[in-house]
């Protein structure tokens, strides 16, 4: 019997099939799986999650999970911060320790932000820490319109994976830019100086105010006993609770890696040989390669060259070319350990 | 934190250039002149803080 009609049961929700959060299950860590003595603002281990660590010093790990509630729900990796050097009193007034994911505006159109039809946001994630805490804050920060909204969660039990759901209201003010730059930062606040407290958690969208971003300090940097871990991050259009939130959108590893490669690519063992003779000179050789994925923007390039002088480089979002001096190159010149960074 | 920034001209148009940036961890990055690049924005902040970009060959 041929099918004449497919009913729309189960298909009527306007979900984005591709997850908004990239690498929410923490499976991809191209840079490293562990970084010690981290006290800086940079991407360290798990792709797409920025480790802003200004208070205290941390070991940042892509942790492998083998038990616990997150593991039992399919999560095999997590992003974990272990405090290795404590910093009392949350450091200087303007210092913060946060975990961020920054999202391009063109990936946020489904929220209809800045229109009369604006949709609410629901953030789900799994979290574990060595100590309990109340009113830990997560903020959504609109970089295009300098606005923010906040929500809170509790850590009810120590060293136990707990799933959290935070609902954020719709915002009819301030549309996200439809471009490749940062429009929305999700910010898990873990420690902060006095500049980030003193206000109230902004449960409605408001003009950005630092005093409202970390009203109750978790004080992750307060003791070397402390740790905090995150996985299963999921952002949905609409309002959901623990019972109604859609299942986590697990991706295949190749889909996940390809999406991460829009922001960072690692060619650790690859050697780009400079073999093509530059027609304008007898002393210069060039090499070129195309990236495996078009990047968000022309990336920064880190590399080492075995010998010779690099004269010039051309970088676009699609590829890279390099020219080296032939005269002092020895027998061959190559560029290796190439890293491409186009993170937001 | 940035330690130094030096211009590197493009081979086909020496009026344009990339930037060779060395950070405090001594890692070197070639940063394109692109306002959408995060490290280029860091260079702009570094210059606004009173630092100077070295010309190629200096």
């Amino acid at each position: 019997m041929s099918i004449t009609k497919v009913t729309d049961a189960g298909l009527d929700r306007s979900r984005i099939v591709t997850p908004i959060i990239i690498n929410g299950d923490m499976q991809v860590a191209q840079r490293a799986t562990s970084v010690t003595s981290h006290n800086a603002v940079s991407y360290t281990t798990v792709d797409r999650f920025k480790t802003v660590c200004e208070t205290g010093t941390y070991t940042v790990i892509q942790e492998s999970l083998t038990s616990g509630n997150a593991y039992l729900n399919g999560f095999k990796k997590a992003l974990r911060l272990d405090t290795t050097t404590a910093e009392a009193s949350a450091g200087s007034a303007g210092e913060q320790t946060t975990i961020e994911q920054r999202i391009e505006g063109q990936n946020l159109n489904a929220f209809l932000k800045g229109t009369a039809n604006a949709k609410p946001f629901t953030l789900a994630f799994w979290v574990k820490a060595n100590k309990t805490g109340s009113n830990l804050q997560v903020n959504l920060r609109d970089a295009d319109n300098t606005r923010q909204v906040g929500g809170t969660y509790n850590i009810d039990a120590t060293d136990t994976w707990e799933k959290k759901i935070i609902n954020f209201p719709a915002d009819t003010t301030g549309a996200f830019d439809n471009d490749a730059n940062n429009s929305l930062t999700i910010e898990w606040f873990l420690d902060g100086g006095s500049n980030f407290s003193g206000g109230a958690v902004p449960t409605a969208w408001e003009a950005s105010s630092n005093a409202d971003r970390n009203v109750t300090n978790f004080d992750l940097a307060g003791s070397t006993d402390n740790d905090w871990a995150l996985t299963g991050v999921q952002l949905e259009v609409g309002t959901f609770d623990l019972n109604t939130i859609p299942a986590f959108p697990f991706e295949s590893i190749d889909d996940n890696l390809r999406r991460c490669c829009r922001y960072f690519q690692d060619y650790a063992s690859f050697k780009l040989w400079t073999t093509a003779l530059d027609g304008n000179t007898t002393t210069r050789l060039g090499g070129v390669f195309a990236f495996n994925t078009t990047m968000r923007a022309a990336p920064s390039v880190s590399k080492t060259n075995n010998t010779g002088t690099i004269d010039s480089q051309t970088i676009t979002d699609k590829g890279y070319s390099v020219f080296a001096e032939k005269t002092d190159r020895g027998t061959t010149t190559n560029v290796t350990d190439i890293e491409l960074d186009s993170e937001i | 934190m940035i330690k130094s920034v030096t211009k590197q001209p493009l081979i086909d148009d020496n009026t344009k250039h990339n930037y060779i940036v060395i950070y405090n961890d001594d890692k070197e990055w070639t940063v394109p002149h692109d306002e959408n690049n995060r490290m280029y924005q860091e260079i702009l902040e570094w210059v606004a803080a009173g630092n100077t970009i070295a010309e190629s060959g200096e």
Side-chain angles (χ1 to χ4, degrees):
Chain A
M1 186 177 81
S2 61
I3 296 173
T4 56
K5 180 182 179 184
V6 177
T7 61
D8 61 359
L11 301 176
D12 57 345
R13 291 161 58 192
S14 57
R15 289 200 62 206
I16 297 172
V17 175
T18 303
I20 297 167
I21 299 294
I22 298 174
N23 200 27
D25 58 0
M26 314 293 176
Q27 285 282 113
V28 177
Q30 295 185 82
R31 294 172 180 83
T33 55
S34 178
V35 170
T36 59
S37 304
H38 181 58
N39 173 250
V41 178
S42 62
Y43 292 86
T44 47
T45 57
V46 173
D47 278 47
R48 300 263 41 236
F49 285 86
K50 190 172 188 177
T51 45
V52 180
C53 296
E54 297 175 319
T55 66
T57 302
Y58 303 87
T59 295
V60 185
I61 309 165
Q62 184 202 34
E63 182 180 23
S64 294
L65 306 184
T66 56
S67 63
N69 288 335
Y71 176 81
L72 293 173
N73 281 273
F75 299 102
K76 307 295 176 62
K77 300 287 184 182
L79 172 63
R80 175 184 168 123
L81 268 63
D82 280 330
T83 307
T84 54
T85 302
E87 186 168 358
S89 305
S92 303
E95 290 184 339
Q96 66 183 81
T97 292
T98 55
I99 299 297
E100 296 180 355
Q101 179 155 140
R102 298 181 170 201
I103 305 173
E104 296 176 46
Q106 59 194 0
N107 288 342
L108 296 164
N109 291 337
F111 289 102
L112 308 178
K113 190 173 179 296
T115 76
N117 295 327
K119 305 287 188 186
F121 304 69
T122 296
L123 180 70
F125 56 94
W126 288 84
V127 66
K128 183 181 76 168
N130 74 299
K131 63 175 185 174
T132 60
S134 298
N135 300 314
L136 280 72
Q137 197 161 335
V138 182
N139 303 307
L140 304 185
R141 307 189 69 216
D142 171 356
D144 295 326
N145 304 286
T146 324
R147 292 170 64 75
Q148 65 184 21
V149 67
T152 62
Y153 65 97
N154 299 335
I155 294 179
D156 300 315
T158 60
D159 299 319
T160 303
W161 282 106
E162 300 173 3
K163 185 172 184 177
K164 305 298 177 185
I165 304 277
I166 300 179
N167 298 122
F168 300 93
D171 189 14
T172 57
T173 300
F176 291 132
D177 294 343
N178 186 32
D179 63 19
N181 295 319
N182 178 37
S183 286
L184 185 71
T185 299
I186 304 173
E187 170 186 79
W188 287 263
F189 227 109
L190 302 173
D191 206 332
S194 58
N195 288 359
F196 300 103
S197 60
V201 178
T203 53
W205 285 89
E206 64 172 15
S208 292
S209 167
N210 279 340
D212 294 349
R213 289 168 59 190
N214 187 41
V215 175
T216 303
N217 194 28
F218 183 56
D219 194 22
L220 185 66
S223 167
T224 55
D225 292 337
N226 291 349
D227 58 68
W228 181 90
L230 176 73
T231 193
V233 180
Q234 177 181 0
L235 184 65
E236 297 286 348
V237 181
T239 301
F240 301 95
D241 60 25
L242 274 171
N243 296 318
T244 60
I245 187 105
F248 182 85
F250 285 104
E251 295 179 282
S252 65
I253 189 65
D254 55 321
D255 283 348
N256 194 356
L257 178 59
R258 178 180 47 76
R259 295 180 75 205
C260 290
C261 282
R262 178 171 169 79
Y263 305 88
F264 185 84
Q265 297 183 24
D266 177 27
Y267 295 87
S269 303
F270 175 78
K271 289 185 177 179
L272 173 61
W273 298 96
T274 55
T275 55
L277 186 63
D278 172 8
N280 294 321
T281 171
T282 58
T283 63
R284 213 159 45 205
L285 289 173
V288 61
F289 82 102
F291 304 153
N292 63 31
T293 298
T294 298
M295 301 196 73
R296 183 191 64 84
S300 302
V301 179
S302 176
K303 67 196 181 307
T304 55
N305 49 300
N306 65 335
T307 184
T309 302
I310 300 297
D311 281 341
S312 182
Q313 301 163 82
T314 302
I315 309 167
T316 75
D317 60 349
K318 293 180 174 61
Y320 173 67
S321 65
V322 59
F323 284 91
E325 279 299 317
K326 177 184 174 187
T327 51
D328 61 355
R329 70 189 171 91
T331 53
T332 54
T333 297
N334 68 62
V335 174
T336 188
D337 299 330
I338 297 171
E339 294 179 1
L340 311 171
D341 190 323
S342 189
E343 263 295 355
I344 306 177
Chain B
M1 294 286 286
I2 291 174
K3 281 172 70 174
S4 67
V5 181
T6 305
K7 288 182 182 178
Q8 183 183 62
L10 300 189
I11 199 165
D12 54 348
D13 183 353
N14 61 13
T15 65
K16 297 178 180 177
H17 43 263
N18 296 315
Y19 301 90
I20 307 299
V21 180
I22 299 176
Y23 284 87
N24 275 352
D25 62 1
D26 291 324
K27 192 162 186 175
E28 180 181 302
W29 290 89
T30 303
V31 178
H33 188 105
D34 183 341
E35 291 190 353
N36 294 326
N37 183 290
R38 170 173 56 93
M39 295 184 195
Y40 178 72
Q41 292 297 330
E42 292 175 2
I43 294 171
L44 296 181
E45 293 171 9
W46 184 76
V47 170
N51 299 290
T52 303
I53 299 172
E55 295 296 325
S56 176
E58 284 185 359

